[in-house]
Amino acid sequence: MTFYERMYKLFAGPVKYLYRIRAVGVENIPEGGCIIAANHTAFSDVLVISAAAKRQVRYMAKAELFKTPLKPLISALGAYPVSRGGADVGSIKKTIALLGEGELVGIFPQGHRYGKQDPRETEIKSGIGMIAYHAKTTIVPVFIDNKRGKTGILRRNTVIFGKAISYEELGYTSGGKVEYMNAAKCVFRRVCELKYGKADTWENDPFLPEPVVRSTPITEEKADGEAE
């Protein structure tokens, strides 16, 4: 039994009790490498998702935590450092490598916590789209639902695991910033649909894809004509 398995056996029960966790659709988590993509309401979202999932979920944690006495514990629990305030290439490569090794990695597409706010009205980041593109992985959308709009103790927290989104559904052709953002929008739309129903029933869909503009290659005929 691994350290994480021992910790899970000891603490998953108490965490589920304190946070009144109800897990729905856990069977949608596949074997092998996969991203868990969820809305982000509070720091405790990490605990709630980890307690609800049957597999260990790996997360990025701010690098500062690895300079404290907590480093051995959070490392043993599967967290790994990320530098805030800019693109951390090392942590991105680490995430892609973990997915390639068959790990389950948790990512919050919003990038920040937005408690007590409709997630459809919040900003999302393209990072999950870039990581999924390079890892060629599937993504399980997850919605953390509660009455106050923020994860907390002694209140019902329902964790809904949706059907996995295949790599092919994300519409990649050759990558790039627009494709990464469009993939992130696709994923977060599916996250929000777990709570609010199909997007075509919403008053407004904020996750419509941006047009992908590609430069037209100069043909030999056109090049000859321009030379004339």
Side-chain angles (χ1 to χ4, degrees):
M1 184 180 293
T2 65
F3 176 81
Y4 180 83
E5 289 171 338
R6 292 196 297 272
M7 295 293 286
Y8 186 90
K9 188 174 181 179
L10 285 172
F11 294 108
V15 169
K16 288 179 180 179
Y17 174 78
L18 284 174
Y19 286 92
R20 301 291 193 266
I21 297 171
R22 183 171 73 94
V24 178
V26 179
E27 67 278 3
N28 289 323
I29 301 176
E31 298 294 327
C34 179
I35 292 173
I36 291 287
N39 60 311
H40 203 7
T41 69
F43 177 79
S44 50
D45 293 339
V46 172
L47 293 174
V48 169
I49 293 174
S50 296
K54 292 182 177 180
R55 296 177 54 192
Q56 180 180 13
V57 185
R58 306 290 299 273
Y59 293 98
M60 296 182 193
K62 60 183 181 179
E64 290 79 3
L65 289 175
F66 291 82
K67 299 176 183 178
T68 71
L70 291 174
K71 177 180 178 180
L73 177 61
I74 60 178
S75 297
L77 290 174
Y80 54 101
V82 58
S83 297
R84 307 295 292 269
D88 186 336
V89 176
S91 65
I92 292 172
K93 288 182 177 180
K94 172 71 172 178
T95 302
I96 294 169
L98 287 172
L99 291 165
E101 294 165 5
E103 298 279 3
L104 190 63
V105 178
I107 297 177
F108 298 105
Q110 293 160 290
H112 301 282
R113 297 184 293 274
Y114 292 93
K116 302 180 181 181
Q117 188 172 348
D118 187 331
R120 295 171 296 179
E121 298 174 354
T122 63
E123 182 182 0
I124 61 171
K125 309 293 185 181
S126 62
I128 189 171
M130 178 181 64
I131 290 170
Y133 174 76
H134 289 286
K136 305 293 187 290
T137 190
T138 57
I139 301 175
V140 172
V142 176
F143 197 93
I144 305 170
D145 190 21
N146 45 63
K147 288 184 177 179
R148 297 187 182 180
K150 185 177 181 179
T151 303
I153 63 173
L154 301 179
R155 67 182 72 156
R156 171 68 71 183
N157 295 284
T158 301
V159 186
I160 308 169
F161 297 86
K163 297 289 185 181
I165 305 168
S166 68
Y167 172 81
E168 290 72 23
E169 290 179 77
L170 297 176
Y172 297 116
T173 56
S174 58
K177 291 182 179 179
V178 175
E179 286 194 4
Y180 298 156
M181 178 54 78
N182 285 344
K185 288 180 176 180
C186 173
V187 170
F188 205 62
R189 179 189 288 113
R190 293 277 288 272
V191 170
C192 293
E193 285 181 336
L194 296 171
K195 164 70 175 179
Y196 302 102
K198 291 295 183 181
D200 57 14
T201 66
W202 303 349
E203 184 176 341
N204 175 50
D205 180 359
F207 306 120
L208 295 174
E210 300 175 27
V212 179
V213 180
R214 304 192 187 285
S215 58
T216 304
I218 299 176
T219 62
E220 183 177 346
E221 181 179 355
K222 183 177 179 180
D224 290 342
E226 289 176 346
E228 293 174 359

